[in-house]
Amino acid sequence: MPDIPQVILKPRKAAPFFGRHPWVRNTAIARLVDDPADGAEVDLVSDKGHWIARGLYNSRSRIRVRLYRWTQEPLDEDFWRRQISSALALRQTLGYDDPAGAARLVFSESDGLSGLVVDRFGRHLVVQPTSLGIAQRLDRLVPILVELVHPAGVTLRTDAATARIEGLDLAPRHYWGQPAEDVIFIQEHGIRYGVQLVSGQKTGFYLDQRENRRAAVAWLGGRRVLDVCCYTGAFSLSAAILGGAKEVTGLDSSQAAIAMARRNAELNGVTCARFETAEAFHALQERVEAGQRFGAIILDPPKFARGRRGVDEALRAYHRLNHLAVDLLEPDGILVTCSCSGGVSREDFAAMLFGVAVKSRREIQVLQQRGAAADHPLSVTCPENEYLKCFVCRVK
Ligand code: SAH
């Protein structure tokens, strides 16, 4: 085997990597032996010369090395196939393999594939590389996916912020097989949704909220529901169809999302849901001033903080949003409140709700604490991947 360039760690920096943490940041690295090219395989070695793991190098990212293998073997076709097969097997076990449904098939570090996200929407795959090493290997990884999943087509998506951070020069495009139609139809819990794989948010649909949408409906029967940041209406339609909500209003600042939410309501013959393009804080404030009341409010805002930076500011924004929602809830109203900011911990989020309870002089009972759906597993060696919190509360 040719010599593989080495990344030598600084003293006392090796423990997390022996513990299988997959991200080697620039600050942990002392020096390089045989300059690796960006995207190349490297060996991670401690300052004492102990071999630790094998990974992929990227000089442009603060995460200099992403680790994949803790045995001295190459990152070859067999290895990638094994990792992908194992990820697929989990989704099968979960019953997330309904051909008309959608699921996250590969979730990056959580599946031992740092930098690779793959979602299935019906017969189409959306592949989203979030690291340079993975992006460079798409011509090897996609054929494995095609062989194991037999999709009709594969679409490539990139997240602009991640692309910048990683130095990815990759345009979203049709990648393999049949091009996806502008709108693809999937179903979740028996409800049909149109999904735009290319122009929609994220990879087209918020798959991480799947089980939370179903769980929340247990408390929504007969209520007037306000779904804030509703995107294409999935919580709203779940509330109306599965939960028997009396009336649902969905709000989102994206006109395209609202247009799709209306189409989705129509597609499912739902007549008790209406959707409005509106800015969340503004729309809630207006309703507070107008003295409106709701039986249940769902808050699923976008990420307010990227990483640990900006956490305090994010918590202030969560506080404001949740306080407005509590003011709009009738006694014993239901608040389904979510945060997808990774930097905001579960404890931070609970403390924020405590603050809201004190300030609004309402008692808040947490009925259930939830996370992302089971096709978004969490690797204990990469706790940074836990991002979604969903609290179902009763506000007295
Ligand atoms: N609840 C949705 C997912 C919501 S994702 C679902 O289950 O599918 C967050 C949404 O917030 C996005 O649709 C985004 O368009 C919207 N958004 C972002 N900023 C907003 C703002 N200031 N006011 C209202 N909506 C906003």
Side-chain angles (χ1 to χ4, degrees), residues 201 205-206 209 213 227-235 251-254 257 278-281 298-304 340:
Q201 296 184 25
F205 199 69
Y206 289 86
Q209 289 283 26
R213 290 191 273 260
D227 178 10
V228 181
C229 299
C230 66
Y231 188 50
T232 53
F235 269 106
L251 307 174
D252 200 283
S253 58
S254 155
E279 197 287 319
F281 288 92
I298 296 153
L299 298 177
D300 188 15
K303 204 188 297 183
F304 285 156
C340 58

Side-chain angles (χ1 to χ4, degrees), residues 86-98 101-111 116-121 188-189 202-203 205-213 371-379 385 387-388:
S86 161
L88 297 176
L90 172 70
R91 279 66 183 182
Q92 233 161 32
T93 310
L94 293 170
Y96 278 35
D97 49 0
D98 169 8
R104 174 147 297 188
L105 301 183
V106 178
F107 185 34
S108 203
E109 291 79 16
S110 302
D111 284 301
L116 180 65
V117 169
V118 182
D119 288 343
R120 180 180 62 80
F121 293 96
E188 179 192 87
H189 311 313
K202 234 180 167 182
T203 58
F205 199 69
Y206 289 86
L207 298 171
D208 51 356
Q209 289 283 26
R210 165 185 173 133
E211 305 306 341
N212 297 334
R213 290 191 273 260
D375 53 352
H376 294 61
L378 180 67
S379 163
N385 265 10
Y387 66 101
L388 186 64

Side-chain angles (χ1 to χ4, degrees), residues 309-328:
R309 275 183 323 213
V311 167
D312 289 342
E313 205 178 315
L315 282 167
R316 280 195 292 277
Y318 284 119
H319 181 104
R320 270 203 307 139
L321 190 69
N322 281 269
H323 194 171
L324 286 167
V326 163
D327 285 349
L328 282 172

Side-chain angles (χ1 to χ4, degrees), residues 42-43 69 95 244 311 329 333:
V42 290
D43 276 336
R69 230 179 160 162
V311 167
L329 279 173

